[in-house]
Amino acid sequence: MKHLMDCRLNVYAIPGEVSPDELAGGTVVVIDVLRASTTIIHALEAGAIEVVPCLEVADAQALAADTPHGQYVMGGERGGLPIPGFDLGNSPGEYTPASVGGKTVIFTTTNGTRAMMTCREAARVLIGAFVNATAVVQRLTGQPQVYLLCAGSGGEVTRDDVLFAGLLVKWLQHRAGIGYQLNAQALVARENWVSTFAVPLAVGAEPMGPALLAAELRKSLAGKKLAAIGMGDDILTAAQIDRFHSVPEMDPKTLHIRLSSGQGGNSPRRHGGHGV
């Protein structure tokens, strides 16, 4: 087991709680369960070549103007709603082989893409959500400096992201063989996950069914916002634990997000797994 002082596992509930310098040299997982992380995973699984996150709508429009016509689609949201003039919104189900296969997705969202901009100094940046939970843990195993960066919602903590961070903390501690030093938010996130699902966890029902998880995600700030604009169906999509086996990785210098070599789109669903 690696020495405790050498290994750190930190959770940040919103990007404003950490500076880019504090993430330098570590492996960061950007978490925006509802919905940017989930949507990016769906897009790359559907055969998109890459996803390029942009901070502002104008940045996305400028990039599109410099990209050959027919080689890209524009996706994203503001206030949860599709952006006028864009091809796609931020619903994972919109990102299909027909809509994004073989293309670059130029992407901007209210919270998720902003969180990604905080990671420029990191050594590695992974995109995580419930739909690729086990794959993320497998990629993190053995990494001594792990930072779980939650996107939040409008600058506020949203429990859907914290729950996923808590699942990662629990699974990493179980599997990694590393005595991680946890920050206070990592302890809180783990307790949130364990206490929320105490009964199913007690009988070994992990990962749990999407309906049970979705019921909790709907109670989060982001979940309530989605329900209010009529996009509650996306919550059930985001609650399908281990639907995919791939992990998108963002180049912290260019900000382009791709599947690592050896990972292809349309990876098989995981049936009847037990997590990590």
Side-chain angles (χ1 to χ4, degrees):
M1 179 177 290
K2 293 186 179 181
H3 194 273
L4 180 67
M5 294 300 292
D6 298 329
C7 302
R8 178 172 295 278
L9 175 54
N10 286 357
V11 172
Y12 302 102
I14 54 174
E17 295 180 343
V18 64
S19 69
D21 288 347
E22 292 176 89
L23 303 177
T27 299
V28 181
V29 181
V30 176
I31 300 169
D32 187 359
V33 172
L34 299 175
R35 296 165 286 170
S37 293
T38 303
T39 298
I40 288 169
I41 297 162
H42 273 255
L44 293 170
E45 282 283 344
I49 296 172
E50 62 182 359
V51 177
V52 184
C54 298
L55 187 60
E56 305 292 350
V57 172
D59 298 330
Q61 292 168 332
L63 179 58
D66 288 338
T67 305
H69 183 71
Q71 294 185 14
Y72 70 88
V73 296
M74 300 178 72
E77 54 75 30
R78 283 298 182 270
L81 298 172
I83 300 167
F86 277 43
D87 304 290
L88 303 169
N90 192 25
S91 291
E94 295 180 84
Y95 292 75
T96 65
S99 65
V100 302
K103 296 182 179 180
T104 291
V105 178
I106 299 172
F107 193 61
T108 181
T109 68
T110 307
N111 304 294
T113 54
R114 292 182 180 276
M116 294 168 198
M117 303 302 164
T118 307
C119 304
R120 289 181 178 273
E121 301 301 320
R124 299 182 71 189
V125 182
L126 309 179
I127 307 299
F130 286 106
V131 295
N132 70 344
T134 293
V136 170
V137 172
Q138 290 171 343
R139 296 290 289 279
L140 292 175
T141 299
Q143 298 298 314
Q145 306 292 329
V146 175
Y147 304 117
L148 308 181
L149 179 62
C150 301
S153 181
E156 298 182 67
V157 177
T158 182
R159 192 160 171 263
D160 51 300
D161 292 347
V162 174
L163 281 173
F164 180 61
L167 177 148
L168 291 183
V169 172
K170 179 179 180 291
W171 284 7
L172 274 169
Q173 286 188 301
H174 173 71
R175 175 182 175 127
I178 292 177
Y180 283 110
Q181 181 178 350
L182 307 181
N183 71 346
Q185 290 189 49
L187 293 169
V188 169
R190 183 187 63 190
E191 179 57 28
N192 258 274
W193 175 258
V194 172
S195 62
T196 298
F197 299 106
V199 173
L201 290 177
V203 297
E206 187 179 56
M208 61 228 21
L212 181 61
L213 177 56
E216 291 298 326
L217 299 184
R218 289 189 182 97
K219 300 175 186 177
S220 69
L221 177 61
K224 291 176 180 177
K225 288 181 177 181
L226 280 179
I229 60 174
M231 295 188 174
D233 287 350
D234 289 346
I235 299 172
L236 186 60
T237 300
Q240 298 181 41
I241 296 178
D242 287 344
R243 177 173 181 175
F244 302 119
H245 297 291
S246 65
V247 182
E249 184 163 351
M250 184 182 82
D251 185 318
K253 303 306 179 185
T254 67
L255 302 181
H256 289 210
I257 304 170
R258 291 177 173 245
L259 296 183
S260 300
S261 59
Q263 298 186 90
N266 303 310
S267 63
R269 292 171 181 261
R270 181 187 183 93
H271 292 289
H274 297 288
V276 176

